[in-house]
Amino acid sequence: MAERRLECSWKRHVVEQLKQRDRVQRHAFEEIIHQYNRLLEKSDLQTVLSERYQSDKYDLQNRHDSSPGLDLSRNDSLQQEMAQMRIRHQEELTELHKKRGELAQSVIELNHQIQQKDKEIQSNEEYQRQIAELEGECRELRGKLQDLEQANQTLKDEYDALQITFGALEEKLRRTTDDNQELVSRWMAEKSQEANKLNAENEKDCKRRQAKLQKELAEAAKEPLPLDPRRPGNSYGSSPECTETPSGVCADVRVPATALHVFEAHDGEVNAVRFSPGSRLLATGGMDRRVKLWEVVSGRCEPKGALTGSNAGITSIEFDSAGSYLLAASNDFASRIWTVDDFRLRHTLTGHSGKVLAARFLLDNARIVSGSYDRTLKLWDLRSKVCKSMKTVFAGSSCNDIVCTEQCVMSGHFDKRVRFWDIRAESIVRELELMGRVTSLDLNHDRTELLTCSRDDLVKIIDLRSNAVRQTFSAQGFKCGADWTRVTFSPDGSYVAGGSADGALYIWNVLTGKLERTLDKNHSSAINSVSWSPSGAYVVSVEKGCKAVLWSDM
C-alpha cells in the first residue's frame, strides 16, 4: 500500500513538473511558432500567386497569339508589371527562405534544448527517486529519533527516581552509621565491663588455685621424697623439668621416642604451640579463638586455663623471656597480650589490614614485631600508654613467620624470600631466596643459625655469619602441609624437629645431617607446629585435627 502511494506521488510530481515547464517555456517559443505559421501562410500565398501568374501568363500568350497588334503596348506594360512583381516576389521568397533557414536553425537549437531538458528530466527523475528514498530514510530516522527520545525520557525518569532513591539511601546510611557508632560505643562499654568481670573471675580463680597449691605444698612438705636410683645426680623424682639448670641453659636434650600423652587441645584445628621459658607451662592456640595453657606434670598435660578475647583463630604464640606474658597473633587482624598468672588481657594491637600470621617479642620484651597477610611488618612499643605502632614497613609479600635478634628482624614470606631488616633504619639489609614459600623460621640458642622450612619440602639451616645455607634436611615422606607449618631447633641446636602432612614427626641430627627418628603413630592429620621444651625433655606437636601429642624418651 505504501509503495502504491509512493508511486502515485512521484507520477503526480512528474506531471506537475512538465506542466510547469510548459508554462515557463511556452512564451519563448510562441513568437517562433507565430513567425513559422506566417511563413507557411506566405508560402501558400506565393504558391497560389504563382499558379495564378502562370494562368495569367498563358492567357496573355493566348491573347497575344490571337491579337498581337492590338495589345502589344498593353502587353509590354503587363510584362513590365509582371517583371516587377516577379522581382518583388523573388525578394519576398528570398526573405522567406532566409527566415525559414533561421527558423530551422532555431528549431534545431530548440530540439537540442528539448533533448537537454529531457535528459534533465530523466536525471530529475533519478534525483526524485533518490529523494523519495532519502525521505523514506528520514521518516525511519524520525521514527527512531522519536523512539530514542522516548527511551531517553524513560531513562531520565528512571535516573531521577534513582537519584531520589540514592538520596534516601544516603540518608539511611548516615543514620545507620550513626546508629552503628552508637552501638559500637555501647558494645565497647559492655566489652569493657565483661573484661572487668572476667578479670575479677580470673583473680578469684587465681586466688583459689594459689590457696589449693599452698595446701598441696603444705601436704607435700610433710611427706618424704623418694630417691630415683636411675639418676643418682638428681635428688628429685622422675620429673624431666628438674634437669633444667638455673641459668636456663639446657643440660640434657632427649630425642623423643614415645608419646607420653595424646589429648584433645581445642575444638578444631590447632595452629600453634609453645613452651614457656621454664618448661613448666605449655600454650596452644587454635581456630576456636582461644589460647589454652597446660601444665606439664609427670608426663601429662593438665589444663590450667584459657585466654579469651580473640575474635578469630590463633595463628602464632610467643612467651616473653620471663614467661610472665603471652603474645598471640590472630586472624582478626590483631595481636593480643595476656598476663600468664591471672589470664588477664592486657593489650590489643590493632592496625593491620589482613590476618596477622606471626608476632614476636624483641629481646627487651618492651617491643613487639608483627607480620601480616597485608604484606607489612609493624613494630609496637608496649611502654606507651596507647600501645601504638611505632613503625610500619612494607615488605612486598605476605609474612608467614618472624624471628628477632637484638637489632635485626628476620621475616619469611610467601614470595620464597627471607628478608633481614634493620630495626633502626627500617630497611632491608639483605634478602635470601629459597625454592619454596617460607612457612617457618627459628633461631638456635646462640642466634648464629637460622632454621627455615618451605613448601618445597626442605628444611634448611642458614649460617647468619656467612649468610649462606649450611645444611639442608629432607626425608622420604616428609611434606610441608601448610603455609604456616612450624619447625624448631632443639634447645642446644643439635637436633631439628618438624611435622609432615602425613601426621609423622621427623627429627634430624644437625651434626650428621641425617634423619634421626620418625614418629608416625599418633597423629591422624597434618602436623601444623612443633615446640621443644627449653629443658630438652619434651617435644609437643599439634595437628590440623584437634589433637596435641606430648613426646619424650621415657
Side-chain angles (χ1 to χ4, degrees), residues 112-125:
H112 180 70
Q113 292 179 3
I114 290 171
Q115 291 177 0
Q116 294 291 332
K117 295 297 181 181
D118 289 337
K119 291 181 180 179
E120 291 179 0
I121 289 172
Q122 292 178 358
S123 63
N124 287 334
E125 290 177 355

Side-chain angles (χ1 to χ4, degrees), residues 284-503:
T284 58
M287 293 303 292
D288 60 359
R289 302 178 296 176
R290 294 188 178 189
V291 176
K292 290 187 177 182
L293 295 177
W294 311 83
E295 190 170 6
V296 182
V297 179
S298 300
R300 292 185 62 84
C301 294
E302 301 295 339
K304 185 178 180 182
L307 308 180
T308 58
S310 175
N311 299 315
I314 304 298
T315 58
S316 171
I317 292 174
E318 172 83 346
F319 284 95
D320 72 335
S321 59
S324 302
Y325 293 93
L326 185 140
L327 168 65
S330 174
N331 283 332
D332 64 355
F333 307 172
S335 302
R336 291 172 176 83
I337 301 173
W338 292 266
T339 48
V340 176
D341 292 338
D342 56 5
F343 309 151
R344 292 184 64 177
L345 178 62
R346 297 295 181 177
H347 302 288
T348 300
L349 310 179
T350 59
H352 283 290
S353 60
K355 302 174 184 179
V356 183
L357 302 176
R360 296 287 182 265
F361 284 103
L362 291 180
L363 297 184
D364 57 7
N365 292 330
R367 292 176 296 171
I368 289 173
V369 176
S370 60
S372 171
Y373 187 77
D374 64 4
R375 300 180 291 176
T376 64
L377 276 71
K378 287 182 179 291
L379 179 64
W380 309 85
D381 187 4
L382 302 182
R383 293 167 293 193
S384 64
K385 292 183 180 180
V386 293
C387 194
K388 64 180 181 180
S389 173
M390 296 170 55
K391 299 176 181 178
T392 299
V393 180
F394 183 72
S397 178
S398 174
C399 178
N400 290 333
D401 202 4
I402 295 173
V403 292
C404 306
T405 61
E406 292 181 359
Q407 294 298 336
C408 182
V409 173
M410 287 153 274
S411 55
H413 295 270
F414 188 84
D415 63 356
K416 307 178 184 180
R417 286 181 169 84
V418 178
R419 291 180 170 87
F420 299 82
W421 304 86
D422 187 343
I423 297 176
R424 297 164 296 183
E426 303 179 31
S427 60
I428 300 176
V429 178
R430 60 183 183 272
E431 290 185 355
L432 182 64
E433 186 172 3
L434 303 181
M435 300 302 293
R437 298 193 294 271
V438 182
T439 69
S440 174
L441 298 177
D442 192 26
L443 291 170
N444 65 348
H445 65 284
D446 57 1
R447 303 182 183 278
T448 59
E449 294 179 344
L450 177 67
L451 179 66
T452 68
C453 179
S454 54
R455 290 307 298 269
D456 59 353
D457 305 328
L458 296 177
V459 177
K460 296 181 179 181
I461 294 178
I462 300 171
D463 190 339
L464 297 179
R465 292 164 294 190
S466 63
N467 195 32
V469 176
R470 188 174 71 84
Q471 256 177 320
T472 301
F473 304 102
S474 63
Q476 185 175 2
F478 176 77
K479 185 173 180 60
C480 185
D483 285 347
W484 51 89
T485 298
R486 309 292 197 219
V487 297
T488 183
F489 268 120
S490 65
D492 62 354
S494 300
Y495 298 95
V496 170
S500 174
D502 60 0

Side-chain angles (χ1 to χ4, degrees), residues 147-395:
D147 295 338
L148 290 174
E149 287 177 348
Q150 293 176 358
N152 185 35
Q153 185 63 36
T154 303
L155 291 174
K156 186 178 179 181
D157 295 339
E158 292 179 356
Y159 175 76
D160 294 337
L162 288 174
Q163 283 286 83
I164 296 171
T165 305
F166 177 72
L169 290 175
E170 273 191 334
E171 180 64 22
K172 185 176 179 181
L173 176 63
R174 186 186 61 78
R175 291 196 301 268
T176 303
T177 302
D178 294 340
D179 294 341
N180 182 51
Q181 290 178 354
E182 182 181 356
L183 290 173
V184 167
S185 300
R186 290 167 54 189
W187 179 74
M188 291 298 292
E190 291 178 359
K191 289 291 287 184
S192 178
Q193 293 176 2
E194 290 179 0
N196 292 331
K197 291 179 182 179
L198 182 61
N199 291 333
E201 292 177 359
N202 288 335
E203 287 179 357
K204 292 179 182 179
D205 189 33
C206 183
K207 290 179 181 178
R208 285 195 298 268
R209 285 197 307 273
Q210 287 178 356
K212 182 180 177 181
L213 181 60
Q214 289 176 358
K215 183 179 178 181
E216 291 177 354
L217 289 175
E219 292 176 355
K222 298 178 183 179
E223 298 178 0
L225 296 177
L227 296 177
D228 186 0
R230 296 175 299 174
R231 300 180 66 88
N234 191 353
S235 60
Y236 296 95
S238 59
S239 176
E241 290 87 357
C242 297
T243 61
E244 183 179 9
T245 63
S247 63
V249 179
C250 178
D252 184 14
V253 172
R254 301 177 182 178
V255 178
T258 307
L260 298 181
H261 188 200
V262 180
F263 59 100
E264 291 187 1
H266 290 268
D267 298 331
E269 184 173 352
V270 189
N271 292 330
V273 62
R274 183 76 65 174
F275 274 101
S276 67
S279 302
R280 182 177 61 87
L281 291 180
L282 175 70
T284 58
M287 293 303 292
D288 60 359
R289 302 178 296 176
R290 294 188 178 189
V291 176
K292 290 187 177 182
L293 295 177
W294 311 83
E295 190 170 6
V296 182
V297 179
S298 300
R300 292 185 62 84
C301 294
E302 301 295 339
K304 185 178 180 182
L307 308 180
T308 58
S310 175
N311 299 315
I314 304 298
T315 58
S316 171
I317 292 174
E318 172 83 346
F319 284 95
D320 72 335
S321 59
S324 302
Y325 293 93
L326 185 140
L327 168 65
S330 174
N331 283 332
D332 64 355
F333 307 172
S335 302
R336 291 172 176 83
I337 301 173
W338 292 266
T339 48
V340 176
D341 292 338
D342 56 5
F343 309 151
R344 292 184 64 177
L345 178 62
R346 297 295 181 177
H347 302 288
T348 300
L349 310 179
T350 59
H352 283 290
S353 60
K355 302 174 184 179
V356 183
L357 302 176
R360 296 287 182 265
F361 284 103
L362 291 180
L363 297 184
D364 57 7
N365 292 330
R367 292 176 296 171
I368 289 173
V369 176
S370 60
S372 171
Y373 187 77
D374 64 4
R375 300 180 291 176
T376 64
L377 276 71
K378 287 182 179 291
L379 179 64
W380 309 85
D381 187 4
L382 302 182
R383 293 167 293 193
S384 64
K385 292 183 180 180
V386 293
C387 194
K388 64 180 181 180
S389 173
M390 296 170 55
K391 299 176 181 178
T392 299
V393 180
F394 183 72

Side-chain angles (χ1 to χ4, degrees), residues 461 471-474 494 508-516:
I461 294 178
Q471 256 177 320
T472 301
F473 304 102
S474 63
S494 300
W508 289 273
N509 189 316
V510 174
L511 299 177
T512 63
K514 296 181 180 180
L515 182 65
E516 185 79 13

